[in-house]
Amino acid sequence: MPTLLPDYDPRAVEREAQAFWQRQQCFRAVEDAARPKFYCLSMFPYPSGWLHVGHARNYTIADVVARYQRMRGKNVLQPMGWDAFGLPAENAAIEKGIAPARWTDDNIASMRGQLQALGFAIDWSRELATCRPEYYRWNQWLFLRLREKGLAYRATGVVNWDPVDHTVLANEQVIDGRGWRTGALVEKREIAMVYLRITAYADELLRDLERLDGWPQPVRTMQANWIGKSDGVEIAFPIEGGEPIRVFTTRADTLFGATFLVLAAEHPLALAAARGNPQLAGFIEECRRGGVAEAELATLEKRGLDTGLRARHPLTGELLPVWVANYVLMGYGEGAVMAVPGHDQRDFEFAGRYALPLRQVCLPDAANAGADYDPQRWHDWYASKAHGGLIASGLYDGLGFAAAVDAIAAGLEREGLGRKRTAWRLRDWGISRQRYWGCPIPLVHCETCGEVPVPDDQLPVVLPTGLVPDGRGNPLARCEAFVRTRCPQCGAPARRETDTMDTFVDSSWYFLRYCAHDNPAAPVDARAGYWMPVDQYIGGVEHAILHLLYSRFWTKAMRDLGLIGVDEPFAQLLTQGMVVADTYYREAAAGRRQWISPAEVVLERDDKGRVLAARHRQDGQPVALGGVEKMSKSRNNGVDPGALVERHGADTVRLFAMFAAPPEASLEWQETGVEGAARFLRRLWKLVQVHLQRGPAPAPVVAELTPAQKALRRAVHRTIEKVSDDIGRRHHFNTAIAAVMELCNDLARHDDGSPQGRAVMQEALDAVVRLLAPIIPHVCHALWLALGHERPVIDAVWPQADPSALTADTVTLVVQVNGKLRGRIEVATDADEESVIATALADAGVRRHIDGAALKKRIVVPGRLVNLVI
């Protein structure tokens, strides 16, 4: 039996545990049909070279789940990789004057070491990096299979252009009109791009959200809204001498209220009308420069210009003016809307600004029957679609919403000017990026043959790794050694595609590649049938639309290619909260702030722990507190977990990260919390040490236990029951830890050196070590062996609560007099009401407050309380 060091030494303990795990290859996962599997995965990191406590928390959550499931008998896979392509590496390369490949490789090595120091149960044999040819060759191979199926194509269209990163952004990457990474105002440009036909799966992607009951409802709602299914009517407004303007509307019942049409700035008719009209051309250019996100439209100042065009109303023949406005987006619907200012807020605001007519065509709903029509209150009774019937709508007067839509759609269809159809907010995924550090798109451009796919036997198209970007566009396009090639069909000189794939392609299927990491002949194989789907996926809610939606699409597409047998990638999803921390700064030149790392700040506190002053650790000069914000490089408030591991040990960092807040909530980093975690580990070490000094303990004999020993054993098994539920079902690791800490307090007060006293203590400590092993695995590895076990705790079985131990012979009841707490009594669990009342009345504290007064009422709540009313 190993002996414990007198004092807890985290470095020695963690060094020994990690060496053991590595020698025994404890976390190497092998498929085993005889055992139930558990695939636990965190979203893989970008190799920025820097981990902060937020990363440590994310991966600790996954590690706790993985280790717990292993102790429950599951065959666990927890792999790790690197989302290694992307703009940050390219921008860092520009700044440092080095190739992105070198910067990325160095960062991967650094971050791998940081993760390993935290003792995560990762199968490193499956490690992958998306910038390696052995990975991205399968990006290219899968792209070509999608192209053969018609799910990948080239088209010219208006795209979102980030003027800082000089690249195209998908709609999902535009947030409040700005690039998701740079924050720059997005411009609109027309460009030829490669698209993936995600819209072919829109209906399935929406329908299958109902099956994902292991996902948070807000995430499912966000995806449903983004997919955006709408049932409505497509209506054609004829234009003399040209193609009709087509609009899609869910409110065909208001067609007779349309008084003008509005086009998006990129609409072909708007561009045609701008020729020879400098004012209109200037306005359109202004709209195209400033990208507008759909969410901004409600609050946007509505502006527009009359094109001079007139469109004919399809049912009345009335000529309606056609405007261009900034509140209509080309990317949604048809890029045109019929404006009904009498019953639509945005149209009402626009019509008011430009003195355009409005027309009431709906009566108030039942709740507002008899009210005078007020267009400024249209939303009170119209938006619910429960209006009181149509007016001023010819043959359709008096019809309610549903009947009006059906009848008007039928009338339009008879005229050949409309039809019912379903529209989707979701748009095809543009994957072309005009950047160097990404997966090359395997296409060749030949003057004779056109666009030609690269044959499979020429894959991968290898990205040159020695190029150094300089900020002047894509250096790949200037690399003749890469660009010049021969056409795979005719052999003539040709040029390679120089756009690279959106990095979200890399992350849309990496979880499948882990299953076949060592297969050089295929992206996946039969092993995916064993491991997939991922049982527990963990990451930030900010990926609810982009990564998670793309991964669902890619999984379904690979299913349809016959490569896998699952159609959803992630069974359970946990979205962890962010980590926030204090920010500190000094005023710098030109009113700017120099942000100071919390590690460089010393706080002066009063005797109650309140902060009196903050000073720089080196020069002692005062620094200002800037408030609590998300950990980030820009605020320099990230805390290096490596420094914490060096100072306190990995288990302290893990314990603090799990104890400070539930995983879905934000965690506020505090040095005092870390110190508290370190103190608990020392107390736990001492608790086991004191027990071992009393000698070997026998097995407990329940019939020989004293009431105090039974009570302690009951506390042990109640803790097992609670912690099992908190970790296994609720993922509330903080309350699980609190329960074990409370039990440890009870154990510290258990000063019973008798044989059965030591027996109960041994049983309790065995349980405590196993309950904490997923959270603080290093110290539990040492304590478990010291407690006399031959096999390591990593192979121990999760403790089970003994039902017989949970049953108490007596129960403590609260006694109230007139609703106020006056005492506590101990009674037999099967005591009847009369004996409970008699025991309560015999209590000295209760008698003192009754003081001979007559009892008006006696209330007994079994197992909880007695209330005596006098």
Side-chain angles (χ1 to χ4, degrees), residues 250-299:
T250 60
R251 300 309 304 263
D253 55 318
T254 64
L255 176 57
F256 285 81
T259 59
F260 59 99
L261 300 183
V262 187
L263 305 178
E266 300 86 1
H267 195 286
L269 275 177
L271 297 175
R275 299 189 191 107
N277 186 337
Q279 184 183 12
L280 183 59
F283 176 74
I284 288 175
E285 181 58 29
E286 182 183 342
C287 292
R288 287 160 64 94
R289 271 200 310 273
V292 178
E294 187 180 21
E296 298 177 278
L297 296 180
T299 57

Side-chain angles (χ1 to χ4, degrees), residues 35 61 69 89 161 220 225 241-242 254 276 279 457 473 530 540 561 571 618 629-630 639 656 699 766-767:
R35 296 173 62 199
I61 291 170
Q69 292 293 339
W161 180 262
R220 291 194 283 172
N225 291 340
T254 64
Q279 184 183 12
D457 61 5
Y530 176 78
L561 291 172
Q618 289 184 344
E629 296 188 34
K630 179 182 177 182
V639 176
F656 169 73
D766 280 355

Side-chain angles (χ1 to χ4, degrees), residues 38 62-74 76 723-729 731 733 770-771 773-775 794 796-800:
F38 193 89
D63 201 53
V64 172
V65 173
R67 288 173 177 272
Y68 167 78
Q69 292 293 339
R70 177 183 176 131
M71 294 179 75
R72 296 301 299 261
K74 303 288 182 62
V76 174
V723 173
S724 299
D725 185 59
D726 283 351
I727 293 181
R729 181 180 67 87
H731 292 157
F733 312 116
R770 283 182 288 169
L771 294 175
I775 300 166
I794 190 70
V797 176
W798 186 259
Q800 300 294 314

Side-chain angles (χ1 to χ4, degrees), residues 648-717:
H648 299 290
D651 281 340
T652 296
V653 177
R654 294 171 63 112
L655 182 63
F656 169 73
M658 294 299 94
F659 182 54
E664 299 89 351
S666 293
L667 180 154
E668 183 174 352
W669 185 88
Q670 293 181 331
E671 182 71 32
T672 54
V674 178
E675 293 167 354
R679 284 195 301 272
F680 172 74
L681 293 182
R682 291 194 294 270
R683 288 200 306 270
L684 177 61
W685 186 272
K686 194 69 174 178
L687 193 63
V688 174
Q689 193 174 62
V690 169
H691 168 69
L692 294 176
Q693 288 170 353
R694 287 178 164 171
V701 180
V702 175
E704 298 178 6
L705 299 182
T706 66
Q709 292 164 352
K710 286 183 179 180
L712 182 62
R713 189 166 185 264
R714 184 162 55 252
V716 171
H717 287 270

Side-chain angles (χ1 to χ4, degrees), residues 178 256 380 415 424 444 448 698 773 854:
R178 296 179 179 271
F256 285 81
D380 289 344
E415 299 294 327
W424 301 87
V444 168
T448 302

Side-chain angles (χ1 to χ4, degrees), residues 13-34:
V13 168
E14 289 163 13
R15 184 170 54 247
E16 170 57 31
Q18 291 179 16
F20 176 87
W21 298 332
Q22 188 171 3
R23 283 196 309 272
Q24 300 297 321
Q25 296 190 345
C26 290
F27 310 125
R28 192 179 184 94
V30 178
E31 297 73 25
D32 183 352

Side-chain angles (χ1 to χ4, degrees), residues 675-867:
E675 293 167 354
R679 284 195 301 272
F680 172 74
L681 293 182
R682 291 194 294 270
R683 288 200 306 270
L684 177 61
W685 186 272
K686 194 69 174 178
L687 193 63
V688 174
Q689 193 174 62
V690 169
H691 168 69
L692 294 176
Q693 288 170 353
R694 287 178 164 171
V701 180
V702 175
E704 298 178 6
L705 299 182
T706 66
Q709 292 164 352
K710 286 183 179 180
L712 182 62
R713 189 166 185 264
R714 184 162 55 252
V716 171
H717 287 270
R718 284 178 176 171
T719 303
I720 292 171
E721 188 175 52
K722 175 174 175 50
V723 173
S724 299
D725 185 59
D726 283 351
I727 293 181
R729 181 180 67 87
R730 301 169 65 224
H731 292 157
H732 281 199
F733 312 116
N734 58 320
T735 56
I737 294 168
V740 177
M741 287 179 170
E742 185 177 347
L743 175 61
C744 287
N745 290 337
D746 292 341
L747 297 179
R749 292 189 291 266
H750 181 69
D751 187 16
D752 184 350
S754 69
Q756 285 304 304
R758 295 202 311 278
V760 172
M761 179 62 84
Q762 176 77 26
E763 181 185 21
L765 291 174
D766 280 355
V768 165
V769 171
R770 283 182 288 169
L771 294 175
L772 291 176
I775 300 166
I776 48 173
H778 305 88
V779 69
C780 289
H781 175 83
L783 295 178
W784 183 254
L785 295 176
L787 284 167
H789 302 280
E790 293 183 1
R791 298 291 302 159
V793 73
I794 190 70
D795 294 328
V797 176
W798 186 259
Q800 300 294 314
D802 181 352
S804 65
L806 297 173
T807 304
D809 297 328
T810 61
V811 63
T812 301
L813 304 181
V814 167
V815 182
Q816 298 174 338
V817 178
N818 285 1
K820 294 183 178 180
L821 176 62
R822 299 305 186 192
R824 288 181 171 85
I825 59 173
E826 190 87 9
V827 298
T829 53
D830 58 354
D832 59 25
E833 184 170 320
E834 287 303 319
S835 61
V836 169
I837 294 295
T839 304
L841 292 173
D843 181 82
V846 174
R847 284 203 313 272
R848 186 169 64 254
H849 286 92
I850 292 179
D851 195 24
L855 290 178
K856 294 176 62 177
K857 186 182 287 188
R858 304 182 300 180
I859 302 168
V860 176
V861 180
R864 294 182 58 192
L865 63 84
V866 178
N867 189 14

